[in-house]
């Protein structure tokens, strides 16, 4: 692989003790395999200047956590992306706001995404995961991205939001674009901004309040506006938050999970003997292949992190995916290990802006994993095709083969593989 770190390794800039790295973090080859660059950033220091982007970066676990936990000095209200246009489009969103507005917006989402609210959805999610795994077993060979990972969260989250069926097929394209739009100025970012405009138009014309299912998470957003809890114009941004954050992230996590299990067959076999380990393995998947690789904050005042001064107004990239592979935090961090329980990983961020949908995402991932462990004897994956996105790490395609679990075959008396009795 090309040396993305030359030639300014270890140099410093005026007014900053941060060592500098000359690398385009959003170039196609780095996005295809960012981990060697992250390792260089961690090696260089606790805070590193990304010269090409004029931002600082925290790539180590301790400093990433420090920045995320300090939401008064590292604010989100000046945007969490890497270009001004996006940061101004998104300025009414929950992710790019500070208290008190953040807490009001978050309160509307939190009410519907907390573990208690999800308890009623759990049964449906578990049943659908089982059906989907059965469908994949029926096919035998399928694409884990297009046939499974891209199907499940769109169905689950689409139903929870109460979306009409019309237009759902475009949701992932817009969500993927919305994550591209976080990037630095450039063609990929501009295309993403156009996708956000299309997503907004879908919300205004198709997923309107009249067409959102009564009692749904989407309807609750408008009820909050009716009750005077939020101004009406924030509804668009809250629905967009569900449509963007709630789908493509989980899609990529699901794809990574199948791919990691397919490429670690001995660990898959071991895991089948200890299915109670499933929640920990979900964490390990998220740790090693963080679907959202990085966002940013802006220093609201002069501040020092691990001895490095950061000036007021400076943008700081928080690289969750690098923190999750910090050797200071996780021994042998590049190794996928089902015995590790990395509950403190930063794939969902932490602190005030920690992912509002993490209970739902974990529920979806666990449901699919448990269904696999119960029904699928072997998982084989072929050569994946990687997706290039400014923020998301994921795959476009993973050829996959499931064979039925022997016990399930026997229990079902043959090829029915333990599926529901009417299948
Ligand atoms: C595996 C799946 C997911 C991953 C990896 C993920 C990742 C993240 C991360 C890293 C953040 C923190 C942003 C920051 O620090 O500025 C975040 C925030 C957020 N996520 Fe997720 N997410 C996932 C699934 C979901 C789902 C299913 C939903 C909703 C249905 C959701 C809704 C949100 C919202 C609303 C925020 C903003 C929270 C705030 O600013 O207070 N996410 N997510």
């Amino acid at each position: 692989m090309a040396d993305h770190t030359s030639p300014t390794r270890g140099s410093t800039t005026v007014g900053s003790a941060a060592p500098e790295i000359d690398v385009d973090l959003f170039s196609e080859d780095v996005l295809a395999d960012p981990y060697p660059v992250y390792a260089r950033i961690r090696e260089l220091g606790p805070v590193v200047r990304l010269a090409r982007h004029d931002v600082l970066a925290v790539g180590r676990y301790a400093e990433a956590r420090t920045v995320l936990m300090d939401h008064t000095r590292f604010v989100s209200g000046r945007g969490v992306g890497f270009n001004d246009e996006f940061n101004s489009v998104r300025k009414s969103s929950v992710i790019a706001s500070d208290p008190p507005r953040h807490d009001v917006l978050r309160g509307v989402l939190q009410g519907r995404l907390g573990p208690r609210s999800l308890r009623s959805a759990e049964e449906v999610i578990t049943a659908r995961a089982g059906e989907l795994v059965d469908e994949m077993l029926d096919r035998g060979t399928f694409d884990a991205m297009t046939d499974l990972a891209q199907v499940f969260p769109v169905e689950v989250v689409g139903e929870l939001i109460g979306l009409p069926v019309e237009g759902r097929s475009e949701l992932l394209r817009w969500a993927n674009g919305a994550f591209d739009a976080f990037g630095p100025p450039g063609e990929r970012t501009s295309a993403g901004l156009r996708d956000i405009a299309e997503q907004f138009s879908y919300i205004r014309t198709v997923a309107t309040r009249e067409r959102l299912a009564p009692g749904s998470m989407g309807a609750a957003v408008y009820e909050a506006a009716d009750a005077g809890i939020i101004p009406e114009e924030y509804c668009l941004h809250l629905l967009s938050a569900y449509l963007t954050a709630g789908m493509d992230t989980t899609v990529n996590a699901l794809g990574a999970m199948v791919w990691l299990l397919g490429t670690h067959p001995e660990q898959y076999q071991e895991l089948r003997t200890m299915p109670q380990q499933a929640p920990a393995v979900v964490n390990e998947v998220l740790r090693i292949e963080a679907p959202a690789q990085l966002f940013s904050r802006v220093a609201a005042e002069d501040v020092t992190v691990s001895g490095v001064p950061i000036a007021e107004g400076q943008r700081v990239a928080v690289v969750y995916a690098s923190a999750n592979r910090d050797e200071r935090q996780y021994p042998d961090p590049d190794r996928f290990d089902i015995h590790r329980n990395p509950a403190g990983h930063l794939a969902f961020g932490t602190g005030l802006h920690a992912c509002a949908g993490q209970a739902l995402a974990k529920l979806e991932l666990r449901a699919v994993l448990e269904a696999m462990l119960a029904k699928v004897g072997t998982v084989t994956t072929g050569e994946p095709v990687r997706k290039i996105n400014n923020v998301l790490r994921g795959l476009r395609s993973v050829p996959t083969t499931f064979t039925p679990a022997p016990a399930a075959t026997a229990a079902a008396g043959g090829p029915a593989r333990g599926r529901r009795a009417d299948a």
Side-chain angles (χ1 to χ4, degrees), residues 68 76 80 93-97 102 106 109 113 157 160-161 179 217 238 241-254 286 290-293 295-297 318 320 346-358 360-362 364-365:
L68 292 173
S76 297
V80 298
S93 66
V94 58
I95 196 172
S97 59
H102 167 269
R106 170 115 185 180
L109 297 177
L113 287 170
V157 180
L160 288 174
I161 303 175
F179 279 103
M217 296 194 316
L238 282 172
Y242 278 143
L243 293 178
T244 302
M247 292 188 181
D248 216 5
T249 46
T250 317
V251 165
N252 291 309
L254 273 172
L286 291 163
Q293 298 262 295
F295 291 122
S296 68
R297 299 289 189 266
V318 184
Y320 315 108
L346 295 181
F348 291 119
T350 189
L352 188 76
H353 290 274
C355 179
Q358 57 184 289
L360 172 59
K362 285 192 214 167
E364 291 176 68
L365 288 157

Side-chain angles (χ1 to χ4, degrees), residues 92-115:
S92 307
S93 66
V94 58
I95 196 172
S97 59
D98 297 316
R101 190 179 66 191
H102 167 269
D103 304 353
V104 174
L105 293 173
R106 170 115 185 180
V108 175
L109 297 177
Q110 195 66 54
R112 307 303 296 241
L113 287 170

Side-chain angles (χ1 to χ4, degrees), residues 88-304:
S88 68
V89 170
R90 278 288 191 227
K91 66 178 183 298
S92 307
S93 66
V94 58
I95 196 172
S97 59
D98 297 316
R101 190 179 66 191
H102 167 269
D103 304 353
V104 174
L105 293 173
R106 170 115 185 180
V108 175
L109 297 177
Q110 195 66 54
R112 307 303 296 241
L113 287 170
R116 207 172 317 148
S117 321
L118 291 178
R119 216 158 287 143
S120 57
E122 182 164 358
E123 207 175 311
V124 177
I125 290 173
T126 307
R128 182 61 190 127
E131 283 170 15
L132 206 53
V133 168
D134 284 337
E135 283 166 36
M136 298 306 113
L137 272 167
D138 275 342
R139 292 196 201 187
T141 295
F142 58 96
D143 191 310
M145 288 311 302
T146 54
D147 297 328
L148 195 155
Q150 292 178 0
V151 172
F152 188 55
V154 175
E155 277 185 14
V156 168
V157 180
E159 284 303 309
L160 288 174
I161 303 175
L163 296 178
V165 174
E166 178 192 345
R168 281 198 198 180
S169 59
E170 299 293 325
L171 293 176
L172 284 182
R173 182 170 67 75
W174 294 327
N176 184 61
F179 279 103
D180 266 336
F182 283 84
E187 184 36 46
R188 200 179 305 118
T189 301
S190 300
L193 286 163
R194 290 193 293 275
D195 287 329
I196 292 183
E198 284 185 32
Q199 187 203 56
F200 279 8
S201 151
Y202 160 84
I203 296 170
R204 287 196 187 99
T205 59
V206 180
T208 55
R209 65 179 302 168
E210 297 73 32
R211 294 182 69 188
L212 293 169
S216 64
M217 296 194 316
V221 167
Y222 287 101
E223 282 156 22
D226 290 345
I229 297 167
I230 52 166
E232 179 90 24
E233 70 260 27
Y234 287 177
C235 293
L236 175 71
H237 291 278
L238 282 172
L239 280 168
S240 173
Y242 278 143
L243 293 178
T244 302
M247 292 188 181
D248 216 5
T249 46
T250 317
V251 165
N252 291 309
L254 273 172
M257 184 171 82
V258 174
W259 176 64
L260 284 163
L261 294 171
T263 48
H264 296 81
E266 68 304 331
Q267 293 200 53
Y268 183 72
Q269 290 314 320
E270 195 185 345
L271 189 54
R272 288 193 55 233
T273 67
M274 43 178 209
Q276 71 284 0
Q277 190 72 2
V281 172
V282 164
N283 278 330
E284 174 64 351
V285 168
L286 291 163
R287 180 194 72 81
I288 200 163
E289 288 290 352
Q293 298 262 295
L294 77 173
F295 291 122
S296 68
R297 299 289 189 266
V298 170
E301 58 185 77
D302 291 349
V303 52
T304 300

